[in-house]
Amino acid sequence: MPISIMTVEACFAETCPGESIVPRFDCLETETQSFNLMRLQPMGELVASSEMGVCSTEALHIDRVREALRLARSERADLFITPEYVVPLQLIDEMVYNEELQPPPNKLWCLCCEGMTWKAFQDHMNLWADFCYVGEGALDHIYESNFTGIILYVFQSAAGDRCCLVPQSKLQPMREDLAVCERVGLSRGKHIVLFGEARPNRLVSFICADVFNQDVNQLSFLFPDRNEYKYIVLHPQLNSAPRHVEIADLRNTMFRAECGQNTLYITANWASGTTVHIPQYERTISIHSPWSSIYRRHIHYGEEGWVNGLRAFRRENFRHGLGFVFEPDMQYKIWFAHRREHMQLVSLRKPFGGAAEIERPRGTVQALKSFIPNEQRNGWCQMEIPFDTILPSDILAEANGDYLYPVQADVENRDRFFSSCLGGTEQGELTATKVELSHRVSYHIDDECEGGRVQQGRKISNLIRCLKRLNYDRCPSQIRRLKGGYRFGMLPDAPVNLLSKAEHVRDAALVVYVEHETQMKAKAEQLIDKHGFLMQEKIVVLALREFSGEIVHYPELNDDVTAPERRVQTTDYSQGGLNIEPSFD
């Protein structure tokens, strides 16, 4: 039987008419252009088996999750999501008779539950039915096996008389890592629950490997006949490889198609430091790079829109552990979460907000609050969680004295500075690869990105070494012109990174490092083409000669009393003197 979509109203068909139970959800309506998302990124020690699935072994885990529910309620989050296998079912047992653990009216919680035997899960549902409306329709035709992998949708009924629970089962086992458990024991569903079929915005969820399913991984599954719908897609995971190309395939398919370009795609993973022990196979899986992210297709603005136009939002989001990169191939913006354990409250513009496009705000993703576990690890406290801004060791070893600027600069100015040193643009520092890796030097993102960051850091440190070792008598005149010596720095209105040390002097240069001597001339000409002909008197490209480590630069200029700006020649002075050539030939 192929996978199919089932509306949330249809899930209640055997209980009572779903139309009288299911409310309107604030995150899907157009009374406001934005909604507030709360996302939990827990850290834990988990154990997995083919009999019970995945469960936490930490005693305080249930306390932190319980307090996360209270926090989502008190902050009135419109949408709350957890990663896969997070919520113990005994906590759902508490929730059904405790209103303090339930969402407010018109809010939607998407809670991924710990593993449990299929029989035990049915017993829990029978218990819940005494207190709640339980819509079991999405479990029809389920392939019953040892354990469950469930996302439980929780909301208040339209009348406000009861809490409602709608379970949706995982469709597909993982191919790697947890495959040894899920392939053997996972009970697999046949339906995806759809919220908002007739509303301005829709919502669906895919649990981790569900996106591998051949039925799901087709554009026609969510967009029959390529009709345009405005989707919020949730993708909770327990995943040590969240950047895997097949995990990204569904969202790439959606963003690539015109009908899916307005999709808001949200992932939620476990925090760095999480381990999953599989005793029966003597294996342990570790998560180092969670990459819990919010994806939006870049549609309306040019470079000015997301580089400069989003600068204030990047600064504010950074304080709350929400970073930014841009993927140029698929043209989407990625707001990624800090790797540590935390909760975030984020304001998101809806796929369709009801206003004319020109009236919509640019800051479509704005972090409002962040929370970390308290000292007892049984609850949460509000706290800013900026990223680790300690620079790579190679830079720190050299960036002192006149070269201290990048150590002291904030992240946004670091991005401008480092990109200039590498001969690129700030846009380049904010750009991710096709597999969503960022080589951004300014701060540590996660272990998968760190290798590229360190490599870029070595280039910066080599540039500093070159500048420190330059022989002033024979250095390019672009640098010698800087009165009083030179130091690292930036000007707000010019693409330079080397300033005069003299006070009240605007003399400046752009120094760039390349790895190979043969790249110098082409890089210099590229920079002149980009910044304008007048910049040729300010640009110097440096490299370290292979094997010897000798400093080389382009242009090779030296001052002479009769020829103040000349290229150093190999001709003998006694044989006709210097042959005058342009600085860049």
Side-chain angles (χ1 to χ4, degrees):
M1 178 181 176
I3 306 300
S4 64
I5 290 177
M6 177 178 287
T7 67
V8 64
E9 290 81 6
C11 293
F12 291 96
E14 293 185 5
T15 309
C16 56
E19 292 76 7
S20 64
I21 294 178
V22 180
R24 292 189 176 187
F25 296 98
D26 290 341
C27 61
L28 305 181
E29 300 299 321
T30 56
E31 280 76 11
T32 59
Q33 294 185 23
S34 299
F35 71 94
N36 286 351
L37 166 76
M38 181 161 279
R39 178 174 57 188
L40 170 64
Q41 182 172 281
M43 183 180 72
E45 296 177 0
L46 312 178
V47 62
S49 71
S50 56
E51 289 77 33
M52 289 289 294
V54 180
C55 300
S56 174
T57 61
E58 185 186 356
L60 293 177
H61 173 75
I62 190 171
D63 295 326
R64 289 198 302 281
V65 177
R66 182 185 296 109
E67 294 309 307
L69 301 183
R70 294 184 192 275
L71 194 56
R73 179 181 174 87
S74 65
E75 294 291 341
R76 297 191 63 82
D78 299 308
L79 181 63
F80 176 44
I81 180 175
T82 76
E84 184 181 18
Y85 293 124
V86 167
V87 183
L89 284 185
Q90 68 189 85
L91 188 54
I92 305 298
D93 294 346
E94 293 180 35
M95 173 195 290
V96 297
Y97 61 82
N98 184 351
E99 291 186 0
E100 293 183 358
L101 299 179
Q102 298 175 9
N106 307 109
K107 312 302 183 184
L108 178 61
W109 289 2
C110 309
L111 310 179
C112 293
C113 298
E114 285 188 347
M116 180 168 287
T117 66
W118 175 247
K119 174 63 169 61
F121 179 72
Q122 289 179 308
D123 293 340
H124 279 275
M125 284 199 298
N126 291 333
L127 171 66
W128 302 338
D130 293 336
F131 302 90
C132 301
Y133 295 123
V134 180
E136 302 180 31
L139 300 182
D140 288 349
H141 307 107
I142 194 170
Y143 170 78
E144 296 181 17
S145 189
N146 297 344
F147 67 87
T148 59
I150 294 290
I151 184 169
L152 194 65
Y153 297 104
V154 185
F155 52 91
Q156 297 296 331
S157 66
D161 58 331
R162 282 194 175 192
C163 185
C164 301
L165 305 178
V166 177
Q168 173 186 309
S169 177
K170 193 171 184 178
L171 313 175
Q172 181 95 12
M174 286 292 282
R175 294 180 182 174
E176 300 173 2
D177 295 340
L178 290 175
V180 291
C181 297
E182 292 188 341
R183 192 184 302 119
V184 174
L186 178 67
S187 299
R188 305 173 200 176
K190 291 294 183 181
H191 301 289
I192 293 292
V193 178
L194 172 66
F195 287 79
E197 180 188 35
R199 307 314 307 159
N201 297 283
R202 296 180 165 196
L203 182 142
V204 294
S205 300
F206 301 104
I207 307 173
C208 203
D210 286 355
V211 296
F212 296 156
N213 187 277
Q214 292 183 350
D215 294 330
V216 168
N217 200 3
Q218 302 291 327
L219 190 65
S220 58
F221 184 77
L222 293 179
F223 303 94
D225 300 321
R226 290 187 174 249
N227 293 326
E228 183 178 3
Y229 298 107
K230 316 293 187 180
Y231 274 104
I232 299 171
V233 176
L234 305 181
H235 192 184
Q237 304 170 36
L238 170 59
N239 190 357
S240 60
R243 293 182 174 94
H244 194 284
V245 291
E246 290 184 87
I247 283 285
D249 195 38
L250 173 62
R251 68 170 169 266
N252 288 345
T253 298
M254 297 172 70
F255 285 132
R256 191 179 291 117
E258 185 175 353
C259 57
Q261 288 187 355
N262 288 293
T263 300
L264 174 59
Y265 198 102
I266 302 167
T267 68
N269 199 3
W270 287 72
S272 176
T274 296
T275 58
V276 187
H277 185 49
I278 311 174
Q280 65 194 102
Y281 297 99
E282 297 184 351
R283 289 188 58 191
T284 298
I285 301 164
S286 298
I287 293 179
H288 301 288
S289 305
W291 203 237
S292 298
S293 299
I294 299 165
Y295 297 80
R296 301 206 82 126
R297 182 72 155 80
H298 175 66
I299 301 174
H300 301 292
Y301 308 120
E303 180 178 337
E304 177 71 14
W306 68 264
V307 176
N308 292 322
L310 294 179
R311 190 178 306 281
F313 298 105
R314 289 199 302 272
R315 278 198 172 104
E316 182 65 20
N317 290 348
F318 178 87
R319 295 171 48 227
H320 298 293
L322 197 62
F324 176 87
V325 290
F326 181 77
E327 203 288 296
D329 184 56
M330 292 302 303
Q331 290 285 299
Y332 54 66
K333 296 169 284 188
I334 307 172
W335 293 94
F336 57 88
H338 199 295
R339 62 188 295 205
R340 68 166 296 169
E341 182 176 22
H342 69 276
M343 294 180 70
Q344 284 176 330
L345 184 67
V346 185
S347 173
L348 301 175
R349 195 183 73 188
K350 297 170 184 175
F352 179 68
E357 192 64 40
I358 195 171
E359 298 176 6
R360 298 187 186 179
R362 264 185 195 185
T364 59
V365 178
Q366 301 178 44
L368 304 175
K369 295 180 181 180
S370 50
F371 306 85
I372 63 171
N374 59 20
E375 291 185 7
Q376 296 77 27
R377 290 191 58 77
N378 60 1
W380 303 87
C381 58
Q382 186 173 341
M383 184 77 68
E384 291 184 1
I385 48 172
F387 291 83
D388 179 359
T389 57
I390 297 176
L391 292 172
S393 58
D394 285 336
I395 295 180
L396 292 177
E398 299 292 339
N400 46 51
D402 294 332
Y403 306 95
L404 195 59
Y405 176 81
V407 178
Q408 298 176 330
D410 68 9
V411 165
E412 291 292 323
N413 284 317
R414 279 184 178 182
D415 289 336
R416 290 180 58 227
F417 178 79
F418 288 136
S419 62
S420 70
C421 293
L422 299 172
T425 63
E426 183 180 7
Q427 178 177 343
E429 277 293 286
L430 299 173
T431 296
T433 67
K434 290 183 179 181
V435 291
E436 301 178 11
L437 289 173
S438 171
H439 299 154
R440 193 173 184 178
V441 182
S442 299
Y443 61 88
H444 174 76
I445 296 175
D446 59 35
D447 290 0
E448 291 185 3
C449 294
E450 191 63 9
R453 178 179 184 242
V454 168
Q455 185 176 3
Q456 296 291 81
R458 290 196 186 104
K459 297 177 187 177
I460 304 296
S461 65
N462 282 342
L463 175 62
I464 300 175
R465 291 189 189 102
C466 287
L467 293 171
K468 286 181 175 180
R469 290 167 49 197
L470 271 177
N471 184 333
Y472 183 76
D473 292 333
R474 296 190 59 80
C475 73
S477 59
Q478 285 86 344
I479 295 178
R480 285 190 65 185
R481 286 196 193 98
L482 303 182
K483 297 177 182 178
Y486 50 81
R487 61 180 175 84
F488 272 164
M490 301 286 289
L491 295 177
D493 55 353
V496 295
N497 55 18
L498 199 66
L499 308 182
S500 167
K501 291 169 66 176
E503 292 186 11
H504 311 300
V505 174
R506 279 181 57 89
D507 289 346
L510 173 61
V511 290
V512 173
Y513 181 82
V514 293
E515 290 189 282
H516 302 289
E517 180 181 358
T518 55
Q519 301 170 332
M520 294 192 303
K521 181 178 178 181
K523 174 57 71 175
E525 292 174 342
Q526 177 190 13
L527 291 168
I528 291 174
D529 289 342
K530 178 180 179 182
H531 296 303
F533 184 73
L534 294 178
M535 277 293 293
Q536 76 164 342
E537 299 302 330
K538 296 182 181 295
I539 293 172
V540 179
V541 182
L542 300 104
L544 291 173
R545 184 162 284 162
E546 195 173 6
F547 303 121
S548 70
E550 177 187 356
I551 300 171
V552 288
H553 44 77
Y554 188 91
E556 292 184 59
L557 293 181
N558 186 27
D559 288 352
D560 181 87
V561 290
T562 60
E565 293 179 23
R566 299 287 191 263
R567 188 176 189 276
V568 174
Q569 301 299 315
T570 58
T571 50
D572 192 313
Y573 280 44
S574 64
Q575 297 179 358
L578 292 174
N579 178 27
I580 299 176
E581 297 181 6
S583 299
F584 292 89
D585 53 1

